[in-house]
Amino acid sequence: MADEPKQNNQKKQKKTVSRFVPIFVGILAFLIGVFLTIIVGFFLISRTLMAPTGQNSSGFNKISTVYQTIKQNYYRPVNSEKLIDGAVNGMVQSLGDQFSEYLPKEDASDLNTTISASFGGIGASVKQSGNYVAVDAPVKDTPAKKAGLKTGDIILAIDGQSAKNLGVSKVVSKIRGKIGTKVKLTLKRDDRQFDVTLTRAKIPVKTVSGKLDSDNKQIGNIQISTFSEPTAKELKQTIKKLRTQGAKSFVIDLRGNPGGTLPTALASASMFLKNGQTIMQVQQRDSKPERFTAGKTYDDGFKVTEPTVVLVDEDSASASEIFASALKESAGDQIIGTTSFGKGTVQTVSDLGHDSEMKITTARWLTPDGHWINKKGVRPTIVAKYPDYAYLSTFDVEKTYKSGDSSRTIITIQKSLQALGYPLDQTNGVYDQSTLDAVKQFQNDYQIPVSGEMDPTTNRRLTEALSQLIGKNDNAYKQAIATLTAKLK
C-alpha cells in the first residue's frame, strides 16, 4: 500500500500527463503512425524551443540563412510553409526514431480525430518506414486482420499507383473510401511482394465487447480492441453486465490491441489492482523513475476482485503492454499467449501552432518491477500459440489460380486445404492434380460451382473456413478457460 505522500504524488502525476494521444491509425482507414504509449506534459518540449543561445544560436542562424537563400534565389517561387515543414520534418527524422514524427496540419487533424474512437476504414495502424508507409498492427475482426495483413508489411502501391514518398497522410487519404468499395494494396513482406484486395468497412466505435464463455457460464470473455477515450467506461459497463449474468472470473483479451491513451490504460489497469499498487513507471532523461499507482483517482473506486487472466500476442503493444504488465507484476495474474510487441518508450505531443504538432520520444516507461520491455515485449507466464496454419501468408483473393500455376500463393492455398482436412500429395506450390481434386471437393462441400479453379468466390470461402477453424483451435483462450476453471473449483 502507498503512504499518503504517494497518494498526493499520484494526483500530481495525473496533472503532469497532459495528453496521451494514440497514433492508432488503422481503424480510421490507415490513419497516422505508430502506437503511442504515454504523453507526459508537452511543456517539456516547449521549454527547449525558447530563445536559442550559445552554440544553438549559430545553428538557428544556419537554418535561417538556408531559408532566406532559397526564398530569394531559388529559380522559382517556393511556398514558405512547405519550407518550414521540410526543415522541422528533417530535424525530427534525423533522430532516427520511428516513434518521433512531425505532424503537419492534415496529419495532426487525423490524430486528434482518433482520440474519440470515431473510426472507419480497413482496420490497421501504420507508420512511416523510410520512403514508404508500413503496417503497424491490424485490428482484430477488421478487413485488414481478416485479409492477413501483418506488422511490418510495406505498402508499395495503392490501386496500382506507387506509394513511394507519399507520406502517411496521403497514403491514408488514398486508402480511405466509401464503405463497401475495394482498395488494392501491393505489399512487401520480407523478400516477397504480393497484392491484397480489401473491402472497406465501417469499424465499430465500441472498443470493448464481452460475453459469457459458451461452456463455463461463470467466466466472462472480454475483448478490448484499443485503449481510447470510451474504453475504461465501456470496460466497467461490460464487467457489471457480465456479473449480473453470473460471471465470477474474467478473460481480458488484448490480442491484436495496438494500444491507445495513457489515461485509459491507467484507469483500466487500476480497476484490477489494490490502491497503492504500481501500474507503471516513467523515467525521463537524467531522472529517477516516477511511479503511477492505482487508486480512486484513476478508477473512481470501481474494483475487479474476481480471478482474471490476460491474453496477449505479438500485436499487443503500447497501452496493452502497460495493462498486461501491471496485472502480471502487481496483481500476480496469469498472462497467456505469446510475447507482446515491445514498445517501451514515451512520446510527447507538442503544439507548434498553425494546426501542426510534433511528437518525439521524451522518456521510457518501465513495468511495476522496473523492467524495460522495449523491443523485448511482455513475456507470458503461460505460452500458448495458435496452430501453425494460423500464420500462413495472405494472398490476393480477387485473383484466379488454376491447374499448372506455380507460386508461393499456391503453397498457402495447399496448406489451407490441408488444414481443413483435404488430402494433397504435396504442398510445394505447384497446382497439380491432387490440388485440383482437393479444390473441387472443397467447392462441392461448400456449395460453390465446381470448376477446380481457385476463383474469388472460392478464395474468400477458403479464407473464411480457415478463420473459423483457427477460432475453434484457439489454444491461448482454451488455456485461459482451463486456468480460471481450476481457480473456481
Side-chain angles (χ1 to χ4, degrees):
M1 297 292 289
D3 53 21
E4 187 61 29
K6 285 188 177 180
Q7 291 299 324
N8 291 334
N9 187 41
Q10 182 187 78
K11 295 178 181 180
K12 180 180 178 182
Q13 289 169 346
K14 187 176 181 182
K15 293 179 180 179
T16 305
V17 182
S18 65
R19 197 162 60 127
F20 178 76
V21 184
I23 305 297
F24 174 64
V25 183
I27 316 186
L28 192 53
F30 264 138
L31 290 183
I32 340 159
V34 297
F35 314 122
L36 288 179
T37 308
I38 310 163
I39 293 300
V40 277
F42 68 82
F43 71 91
L44 294 172
I45 294 179
S46 310
R47 243 180 358 193
T48 64
L49 295 177
M50 302 298 286
T53 58
Q55 185 176 358
N56 287 341
S57 180
S58 63
F60 279 93
N61 288 337
K62 183 187 293 186
I63 294 173
S64 178
T65 299
V66 172
Y67 172 82
Q68 293 297 336
T69 300
I70 293 175
K71 284 289 292 181
Q72 296 173 12
N73 300 318
Y74 192 63
Y75 80 101
R76 61 184 181 186
V78 179
N79 182 279
S80 297
E81 185 175 354
K82 186 175 181 180
L83 282 178
I84 294 172
D85 284 348
V88 176
N89 191 49
M91 283 190 283
V92 176
Q93 285 190 353
S94 72
L95 298 173
D97 178 7
Q98 61 174 319
F99 299 113
S100 296
E101 61 181 329
Y102 169 58
L103 304 174
K105 184 175 180 179
E106 62 273 18
D107 285 352
S109 175
D110 283 341
L111 181 147
N112 292 324
T113 299
T114 66
I115 305 174
S116 64
S118 177
F119 304 126
I122 65 171
S125 58
V126 297
K127 63 183 179 182
Q128 193 69 39
S129 179
N131 295 326
Y132 291 93
V133 169
V135 176
D136 233 3
V139 180
K140 191 171 184 177
D141 295 328
T142 63
K145 186 68 174 180
K146 292 176 181 178
L149 270 64
K150 296 182 179 295
T151 300
D153 286 347
I154 303 296
I155 304 172
L156 298 178
I158 304 166
D159 288 331
Q161 297 185 346
S162 175
K164 186 176 182 180
N165 296 323
L166 287 184
V168 170
S169 181
K170 289 185 178 179
V171 166
V172 168
S173 65
K174 287 181 176 294
I175 293 177
R176 289 179 187 170
K178 186 177 180 181
I179 292 173
T181 60
K182 298 182 184 299
V183 59
K184 179 181 177 181
L185 303 181
T186 301
L187 303 172
K188 181 180 179 183
R189 180 180 301 162
D190 299 324
D191 60 349
R192 185 169 68 92
Q193 180 175 319
F194 57 96
D195 295 330
V196 176
T197 301
L198 304 97
T199 301
R200 299 179 177 98
K202 181 178 181 180
I203 308 300
V205 173
K206 191 173 182 180
T207 63
V208 180
S209 60
K211 61 181 179 180
L212 296 178
D213 179 68
S214 57
D215 296 322
N216 191 331
K217 302 300 181 182
Q218 290 186 311
I219 299 176
N221 178 20
I222 299 174
Q223 296 182 335
I224 305 177
S225 62
T226 179
F227 287 91
S228 51
E229 281 185 354
T231 304
K233 180 179 179 180
E234 292 175 2
L235 178 58
K236 181 178 179 180
Q237 292 172 340
T238 301
I239 290 171
K240 285 184 174 181
K241 179 181 178 180
L242 291 174
R243 279 173 172 170
T244 62
Q245 295 174 352
K248 298 184 183 303
S249 62
F250 299 102
V251 176
I252 308 297
D253 193 344
L254 301 180
R255 291 176 295 179
N257 184 323
T261 68
L262 177 63
T264 298
L266 292 173
S268 300
S270 184
M271 297 177 192
F272 295 83
L273 306 183
K274 295 178 181 179
N275 289 344
Q277 288 186 316
T278 300
I279 302 173
M280 62 175 294
Q281 303 180 56
V282 174
Q283 185 175 28
Q284 299 179 25
R285 186 173 67 185
D286 302 325
S287 300
K288 292 183 178 180
E290 184 178 13
R291 289 182 179 270
F292 289 73
T293 56
K296 192 173 181 179
T297 302
Y298 296 126
D299 57 40
D300 293 325
F302 180 80
K303 293 295 184 180
V304 181
T305 57
E306 294 90 340
T308 301
V309 299
V310 180
L311 303 183
V312 298
D313 65 8
E314 60 276 7
D315 290 327
S316 304
S318 185
S320 296
E321 294 172 300
I322 292 175
F323 183 98
S325 60
L327 269 64
K328 176 184 179 181
E329 296 181 3
S330 289
D333 291 329
Q334 297 279 15
I335 307 298
I336 301 175
T338 55
T339 301
S340 65
F341 181 82
K343 182 184 179 297
T345 55
V346 174
Q347 280 70 47
T348 299
V349 171
S350 178
D351 187 351
L352 301 182
H354 302 288
D355 297 320
S356 63
E357 297 175 334
M358 177 173 65
K359 172 175 67 74
I360 68 168
T361 300
T362 56
R364 61 179 187 167
W365 73 265
L366 310 173
T367 69
D369 291 343
H371 299 128
W372 193 34
I373 58 93
N374 200 55
K375 297 183 180 180
K376 299 176 182 177
V378 178
R379 294 184 178 181
T381 53
I382 301 176
V383 176
K385 299 180 180 180
Y386 280 113
D388 290 342
Y389 52 76
Y391 303 97
L392 289 174
S393 299
T394 185
F395 64 97
D396 192 346
V397 298
E398 298 302 319
K399 289 186 176 181
T400 296
Y401 309 92
K402 56 185 182 299
S403 181
D405 288 349
S406 177
S407 67
R408 291 190 178 184
T409 294
I410 305 304
I411 294 178
T412 297
I413 292 172
Q414 290 171 331
K415 289 187 175 181
S416 297
L417 288 166
Q418 194 175 60
L420 289 166
Y422 295 92
L424 291 98
D425 292 341
Q426 46 75 28
T427 57
N428 63 359
V430 177
Y431 204 125
D432 60 2
Q433 185 62 45
S434 69
T435 303
L436 179 67
D437 293 340
V439 171
K440 286 183 176 180
Q441 186 59 51
F442 175 82
Q443 290 172 328
N444 182 68
D445 291 344
Y446 286 85
Q447 299 180 347
I448 302 169
V450 178
S451 65
E453 295 184 353
M454 290 296 299
D455 53 59
T457 299
T458 307
N459 292 334
R460 286 191 287 269
R461 193 65 188 90
L462 178 66
T463 302
E464 292 170 1
L466 188 66
S467 178
Q468 292 170 2
L469 181 65
I470 292 170
K472 292 179 180 178
N473 292 279
D474 188 343
N475 296 326
Y477 181 71
K478 287 181 178 180
Q479 181 63 58
I481 296 301
T483 299
L484 290 176
T485 300
K487 289 185 177 182
L488 291 173
K489 288 183 178 179

